[in-house]
Structures are given as C-alpha cells and as structure tokens.
Amino acid sequence: MKKKSFILTSIALGLSVLSTSFVAQASFPFIDADGQQIPSLAPMLEKVLPTVVSINVEGKQKSSRQNSEDAIPEEFRRFFEDGFGFSFGGMDNSPRSFRGLGSGVIINAQKGYVLTNNHVVDQADKITVMLQDGREFKGKIVGKDEMSDIALVQLENPKNLTEIKLADSDKLRVGDFTVAIGNPFGLGQTTTSGIVSALGRSTGSDSGTYENYIQTDAAVNRGNSGGPLINLKGELIGINTAIISPSGGNAGIAFAIPSNMANSLVQQILEFGEVRRGLLGIKGGELNADLAKAFGTDTQQGAFVSEVIPNSAADKAGIKAGDVIISINGQKLKSFAELRAKIATTGAGKAIDLTYVRDGKEKEVKVTLQSDEQSKTSARSLIPNLEGAELSNYSKKSIKGVEITSIKPKSMAAKRGLEEGDIIIGVNRQAIENLGELRKALDKEPSAIALNILRGDSNFYLLIK
C-alpha cells in the first residue's frame, strides 16, 4: 500500500491588504440596478478590499547554496523551487539574492502597521508594500515571531490609509462563513469564500511552532500568505499561512492564524519590543480514549498533564500530573497543541482561567503565567537612519537599556559608528530601559535624535537626526 504524500506548505507570494477602519455589515441581499434582490458579498468587499496590501521583498542570504537548501524543510522546497515564491542566484559561497511576494493587512492606519507572516518578510533587506489603489510604500520590520509565523511591518510616511477591524476569533464556530483575500500565483488580488472547517487545528508537524489554526475550505494557494481571512462583516478573523495538499495546490484545506493570537503577539512587540511568551510549566500530550479510561474521566478532548514543573505557574496554582485541562478562559480545548499555542502567545505575567478534570470532577483555577526566557523574540531596528542594526532588550546588574546585538557590514548603522554590544540607555536625555520605551520616544517624532550610548566604560551621545 502506497504511503500518501501530503505537502504542508507556507503560501508566501501574494498580498492583499485591508486598509479601512470600518464595521462593514454583511449586505445581503444586494439590490441591483433593476431593483432585484441578489445575494452578494460585493457591498462588503468594496469596503474591505482597499484595506488589503501586496508585499514585495528582496534580500540576500550569506549561506552557501547547499546550506540554503538544507535550511528549507523538505515539504517547503517545492514551493521555493517552482518559480512563484523565491528565486536564488549567485555562486555557492557568495551572498545569494532572493525575491518574493506575499500578502498583508493594515491594522493601524495612523502608524502604518501591516500584519503579515514571518516567512513572507524573513531576511528581507528591502520591503515594498503596494496598496489596492496602486500606491507604493517602503516597509521596515517592527518585529517578528518565527515560532508563530507572525510579523509586523511599518510603512514609511503612511498617508491616507485605513485599517481593518479585528474580530474576536474566540467566538468563531465551525460552519461560520469565511472570505480569503490574496494574490495567488501572482495573478492579482483575488477573493475566495468558504466556511470554518475546524478550530484549534494543528498540522501535527514536529517543527516546534505554535499551532492553533483556523481551518477553512476557502481556496488558498501560494501567494495568499499573510493575507486576511475575514468574516461576512469584513472583520479580520485570521492570517492565512499554510495549506495541506497532495499536489501543493488548493485542496480545500487551508490554515489561518487566529486574529486574537496574532493581536496578542503584536501588542507584546509594540509594548515591550519583543514577544514575552507565557510559561505554564507542564508537560503532557493529547488526551485519547485509553488515557480517559485509565484516569476515570468521561472527557474526550483536552490536554493531558503528565508532569508539572516544580515552582512553575501550574505548580503554584495546584495543577497536578494526571489532570486533564479542558478549557482556557472559558474556551474549550481540543488538544494539548492548542493549549501550548495559546499559553505561548499569551504574554508573561498575564492571568488566565483554567478548567481541568481530576478524579472525574471539574475544577477551576486562576494561573499567572511566568516568563519563558528561552523563547523571547526581539524586534529589529526601528531607529531612523540606523538601518542594519538588530536590537534587543538589555538588563544586567543595574543597567537597563537596548543592546545592539548585531550590525550589518556597510549598513547605515555601521557607517554611523555603532558597534555590536553598544547599549542605548537614553534618547534626548530621556532614560530608555527597553525597546518599548525606545519606540514610544521615537513615535513622538522629535526634531533631533541623540542616542545616549554605553560602550564599555564610555558614555556618549550619538546624533543621528
């Protein structure tokens, strides 16, 4: 019997952006010119489509061809080699150029923030974002999270933009109608429709990513990555990110990152300059019929706790090995993978409500999540005229600030004299303790920007504007 071969692939290559702040009503039925009532999504889409963007990226990879290919998972290589996604060039040991297309959606018109997939913009040196009306903007990465495949891009000098309204994805139900927007195969802005096929879905891959997907049968193909999945009100319910298919094309099984999950990560990036993952402190797996019978519970879905880490948030809340966690914040859990994704994308220090089953009885407990220091994701440089600098929060001994963790050779940051290991502790005499404070200081758009920098035993100001 032949083994079935399925392709789980990211779908970077097209972009459609929602660029209006509105609450569109699902205009059914549509009244045509003859006064006839015709069911149509057109009235809603006329308001939504201007809020969708196309993303064009360019960059270079320093690794050799062999290393570059090795870095691409087997199930993704077909996508990278088919001429639709990325193209590589150069000798084996030289920097290799690549180009790619993806989709995104504007979530903040005033700041010019665009939500997309990490795999759309990862390693990009140049990002160009095009709106439905043909306008183009340069984009820069504000922050990204590889483990959840979310990235936040900011447009340069944003003007006359509109933003999409975010829906509460926790309220989705199987059977709800969905609409996906993107640029499949580079054809241009395309809209498809379907329903929510499943919730809390995991692909079962061993990549270590946090998967809590909305599954939909709306047609999604290469080029839809980062594009919006919306409801009939024109509200964002998810970010299209992957498909499963025997051939690599649409097979009616597509996955989107829930809007609540994406928004939680975005808010962490904007507030702290990094993703601060929550940590519950348990080990476990999926609940099955045998485990349910062995532990005397009628519960058939949930997260089975096999071990509780001493002094962890779970331990302090009284959770024990053998418990079955069945809901988080009132939302029923279908799997351990769903619990893992929701915990990891909830910020450290956040309080959550868990319901679990022990000895056949349901119990409720409030848990304050600890910080997972090993899986923080830092933001990239946000400082004008200092492109090429990677930034990370710094806190050692009595010093708090923003560390320059790496500098690209011949970049603007290098030409300005910044060095790896420099620590920014202030902007214009205002103390700075983390990336969030740095961003807030720069959001005020001061007429001059002088960075107070610690370098070894030296303390000096660097004027960059």
Side-chain angles (χ1 to χ4, degrees), residues 124-177:
D125 295 322
K126 180 180 179 182
I127 300 174
T128 303
V129 178
M130 186 170 70
L131 275 60
Q132 188 204 30
D133 61 13
R135 287 184 294 158
E136 292 188 356
F137 294 85
K138 291 182 179 180
K140 61 181 179 182
I141 297 175
V142 175
K144 56 192 181 74
D145 182 38
E146 180 180 0
M147 299 301 290
S148 61
D149 200 19
I150 283 295
L152 185 65
V153 172
Q154 185 172 29
L155 306 186
E156 187 177 288
N157 300 319
K159 295 180 181 178
N160 301 321
L161 302 179
T162 46
E163 64 200 41
I164 192 169
K165 178 179 175 62
L166 272 65
D168 183 353
S169 56
D170 286 340
K171 293 182 179 179
L172 286 175
R173 299 174 300 171
V174 173
D176 285 349
F177 286 105

Side-chain angles (χ1 to χ4, degrees), residues 264-284:
S264 174
L265 295 168
V266 166
Q267 296 308 315
Q268 291 175 53
I269 289 172
L270 292 176
E271 183 176 356
F272 307 113
E274 63 188 6
V275 172
R276 295 186 173 183
R277 300 201 190 285
L279 185 66
L280 182 57
I282 63 171
K283 295 181 181 179

